[in-house]
Amino acid sequence: MTKLQELFPNVDFQMMWVATQETLYMTLTSLFAVFLLGIVLGLLLFLTNNKKHAGARILYWITAILVNVFRSIPFIILIVLLLPMTKSLVGTVIGPKAALPALIISAAPFYGRMVEIAFREVDKGVIEAAKSMGANMFTIIGKVLIPEALPAIISGITVTAISLVGFTAMAGVIGAGGLGNTAYLEGFQRGQPDVTVLATIIILIIVFIFQFIGDFLTKRTDKR
């Protein structure tokens, strides 16, 4: 620890560890919710696109509009817009929990589009073969669509995870805690650049870990 203290003399390592835990909490919790919502959104977009049934077309356009709107709102603005909802859901507008609604709502539409693209890339011949064998929609989704699209789904959630790490840093600037909050309040505002540098290094390490795990799982699930 002595060498670290020499390199980063102004860093409170206990505080930095707590900030790292807060960043991981925000990222992993929101990532789990984004994964589930993204799969649902991707399925809705894929299954209702280019359908002749009026109900399917209406459902597609409603889903597509919501996805496009929330994808287009900058994250910082979205946090401000969601403050009343955040207050009612978690009882506060500061701290790691308060960042979760904005993190989920900002990332889920983005990931939903990536899931839709992954499903579109599945060979239509495989889907038609499953239909000809009498498979129902749930069987096709569970046994054909998701397994065939799995490498792209994993690649998409990896990209989303890295984006969420960046979003947590931005959320930290307005009081959500985590490494972003530490870098801004303890590092920038107090004129302690070593605090900012160490927080940045830890964020980069987290990103590299997510990328490594995502690349590994993508290769393991790719049948090509």
Side-chain angles (χ1 to χ4, degrees):
M1 186 65 73
T2 304
K3 289 184 178 179
L4 280 176
Q5 287 174 338
E6 290 176 359
L7 287 171
F8 306 102
N10 298 306
V11 172
D12 181 338
F13 288 94
Q14 179 61 35
M15 181 186 65
M16 191 66 73
W17 171 239
V18 171
T20 302
Q21 290 178 307
E22 289 174 342
T23 292
L24 289 173
Y25 167 78
M26 287 187 284
T27 303
L28 295 175
T29 304
S30 59
L31 187 64
F32 178 74
V34 166
F35 178 76
L36 296 179
L37 287 172
I39 294 292
V40 172
L41 287 171
L43 279 171
L44 275 175
L45 291 168
F46 176 77
L47 295 175
T48 57
N49 191 20
N50 295 324
K51 298 296 182 183
K52 295 181 180 179
H53 193 276
R57 289 203 302 271
I58 292 170
L59 183 58
Y60 174 81
W61 283 112
I62 291 173
T63 306
I65 289 170
L66 289 174
V67 165
N68 291 336
V69 166
F70 284 106
R71 281 177 62 201
S72 304
I73 301 174
F75 180 69
I76 292 293
I77 296 175
L78 185 63
I79 291 179
V80 175
L81 290 175
L82 293 177
L83 284 178
M85 187 186 79
T86 300
K87 177 70 173 178
S88 63
L89 285 176
V90 301
T92 181
V93 293
I94 60 172
K97 286 185 179 179
L100 294 179
L103 289 169
I104 293 166
I105 291 174
S106 66
F110 170 75
Y111 182 57
R113 278 295 188 190
M114 297 186 78
V115 171
E116 180 198 11
I117 293 169
F119 288 151
R120 285 184 180 181
E121 292 177 351
V122 174
D123 188 349
K124 290 182 173 60
V126 178
I127 299 174
E128 293 302 322
K131 287 180 180 179
S132 67
M133 295 173 66
N136 59 33
M137 183 57 64
F138 293 105
T139 301
I140 291 172
I141 292 171
K143 297 289 183 68
V144 179
L145 271 179
I146 292 178
E148 291 292 325
L150 194 56
I153 289 173
I154 294 173
S155 179
I157 201 64
T158 302
V159 173
T160 305
I162 292 169
S163 296
L164 282 170
V165 174
F167 288 162
T168 64
M170 285 189 280
V173 173
I174 60 171
L179 292 165
N181 183 75
T182 300
Y184 181 70
L185 291 181
E186 301 296 328
F188 176 73
Q189 287 200 337
R190 294 191 178 185
Q192 300 178 145
D194 56 324
V195 176
T196 303
V197 169
L198 183 57
T200 304
I201 290 171
I202 296 172
I203 289 172
L204 289 173
I205 291 171
I206 293 171
V207 167
F208 291 152
I209 290 172
F210 276 124
Q211 188 68 63
F212 175 80
I213 294 172
D215 290 344
F216 175 77
L217 293 176
T218 300
K219 290 178 182 177
R220 288 294 298 270
T221 55
D222 196 344
K223 300 175 183 177
R224 292 173 293 179

